[in-house]
Amino acid sequence: MTFAYVATLSYTDFSLPAHLRIMTRGKKLTLLPIGFLGASVSVIAASEEGAHSGIATAAETLFHIGPLPVTNSMVTSWVIALALIALIRLAIRRPKLVPTRAQALVESVVQGILDLISPITGKHVAKHAFPLLIALFCFILIQNWSGLLPGVGSLFISEHGEWKEIIRPGNADMNSTIALAIVAMAAWAWFVLRYAGLKYFVSHTFGNKADRREIPLPIYLLLTVIFLGVGVVELISMVFRPVSLSFRLFGNVFGGENLMHSMFGIFKWGLPIPFYFLEILIGVVQALVFTLLVAVYIGLVCNHEEDEHAPGAASH
């Protein structure tokens, strides 16, 4: 079947090649430049041959802002972030005593996340860690679901014989998930230093947990060496936390995108529908896993409300 339709693309700081092609799942489109003054092009669908079977591992660069390359995943992330901010601001711009549906939805998410993290991080840290954790959850969730939107992961452009995906889910790019993990772990370090303190952190990680008054001195010294070794192992695990966070999220989202491409390639009518629901579920699970793991990392050091030696328990 042949389709024909027209679209308009705008380019502000770079010129179009003489001949471009754009491909969707199952349809190949040809772009013919008809003018340039920030420039308009006609898009005419051609045929169904040459469908793209999957997405590249690395995000493709679409254009440059000065020396900064702007990739397809960066564009999606920016759009999702701006849309999320705008929607939440609109939902709560005038809070009411009897909430509207939009306000009630935002309040339910906020209260649900707060109730979820409070036992994990400790009540004295939960209200401080809450903005970070709810931002991570909402941003990652919408980014995960963005791959299910029309056009995301399904439009490809060919320049000089090389296929490039125009719109790519942000979390299907390793750079995005690494950035999220680095931000999360930097915040973790700040919470630990602010609400537990460096001295308590070192004691908690490397210190002997046994009571000197209850065991003989030789056994106590042996346990000191053992706990020191455990602390070293724990420190190594802390270093690798950003790796596990970023790889887990990237692997699930990238795998889901390729799964959807494969299902569309096998049979585009009806077959992908169950996998849409699967990706919705995976998106929620991965957002929760990432958020809860960061909360657990914070709580492992800061959640000692009954420990009289924890400075955060007494002063915050």
Side-chain angles (χ1 to χ4, degrees):
M1 181 181 295
T2 301
F3 298 82
Y5 55 93
V6 176
T8 300
L9 303 178
S10 295
Y11 297 85
T12 57
D13 60 349
F14 61 99
S15 60
L16 290 172
H19 180 270
L20 296 176
R21 289 180 179 176
I22 187 171
M23 180 182 289
T24 65
R25 292 189 181 107
K27 307 177 185 64
K28 185 174 67 179
L29 311 178
T30 302
L31 276 69
L32 301 175
I34 60 174
F36 179 79
L37 188 63
S40 297
V41 293
S42 295
V43 183
I44 304 176
S47 66
E48 297 184 359
E49 62 184 65
H52 202 79
S53 59
I55 61 175
T57 305
E60 290 91 358
T61 299
L62 298 180
F63 57 91
H64 289 77
I65 300 178
L68 176 67
V70 178
T71 65
N72 46 14
S73 63
M74 291 172 62
V75 172
T76 308
S77 297
W78 293 344
V79 171
I80 293 296
L82 292 174
L84 191 60
I85 293 171
L87 288 174
I88 293 177
R89 293 290 294 178
L90 287 173
I92 61 173
R93 67 185 185 278
R94 293 178 181 176
K96 298 180 180 179
L97 186 60
V98 179
T100 61
R101 291 183 179 180
Q103 181 182 335
L105 176 62
V106 173
E107 290 178 354
S108 298
V109 173
V110 168
Q111 191 61 48
I113 297 296
L114 183 59
D115 292 340
L116 186 64
I117 68 170
S118 291
I120 300 173
T121 61
K123 293 181 180 179
H124 64 284
V125 180
K127 62 180 180 180
H128 304 286
F130 173 73
L132 168 72
L133 297 175
I134 194 171
L136 286 174
F137 174 77
C138 293
F139 183 75
I140 293 173
L141 177 63
I142 302 302
Q143 286 280 25
N144 291 348
W145 284 351
S146 68
L148 303 178
L149 298 176
V152 179
S154 61
L155 295 176
F156 298 85
I157 192 168
S158 177
E159 182 178 0
H160 306 300
E162 179 183 357
W163 290 105
K164 292 183 178 181
E165 188 178 12
I166 299 177
I167 310 174
R168 178 192 184 106
N171 291 338
D173 179 11
M174 179 67 78
N175 294 305
S176 298
T177 59
I178 290 176
L180 285 170
I182 290 174
V183 169
M185 296 314 299
W188 166 82
W190 186 86
F191 285 123
V192 168
L193 295 177
R194 176 68 178 84
Y195 298 104
L198 181 60
K199 181 179 179 181
Y200 180 79
F201 172 74
V202 173
S203 174
H204 172 79
T205 305
F206 300 99
N208 193 331
K209 311 304 187 296
D211 190 341
R212 172 66 185 85
R213 297 168 296 182
E214 297 180 355
I215 59 176
L217 179 60
I219 297 179
Y220 183 81
L221 294 176
L222 177 61
L223 288 175
T224 300
V225 176
I226 293 175
F227 278 113
L228 181 62
V230 171
V232 172
V233 174
E234 179 67 17
L235 193 62
I236 294 174
S237 73
M238 293 176 188
V239 173
F240 281 94
R241 283 174 183 175
V243 178
S244 64
L245 286 172
S246 58
F247 273 68
R248 181 187 300 107
L249 182 58
F250 167 75
N252 280 276
V253 178
F254 180 77
E257 276 296 292
N258 277 286
L259 174 65
M260 295 302 299
H261 277 267
S262 299
M263 294 303 103
F264 272 98
I266 294 173
F267 188 71
K268 71 186 69 173
W269 306 110
L271 180 61
I273 292 177
F275 296 93
Y276 268 94
F277 291 102
L278 177 63
E279 288 303 304
I280 290 173
L281 177 61
I282 291 176
V284 176
V285 170
Q286 291 305 313
L288 273 175
V289 167
F290 193 105
T291 305
L292 291 179
L293 281 176
V294 176
V296 168
Y297 296 153
I298 295 171
L300 285 174
V301 182
C302 298
N303 188 8
H304 297 278
E305 297 177 348
E306 297 180 358
D307 189 346
E308 60 181 2
H309 301 294
S315 58
H316 299 283

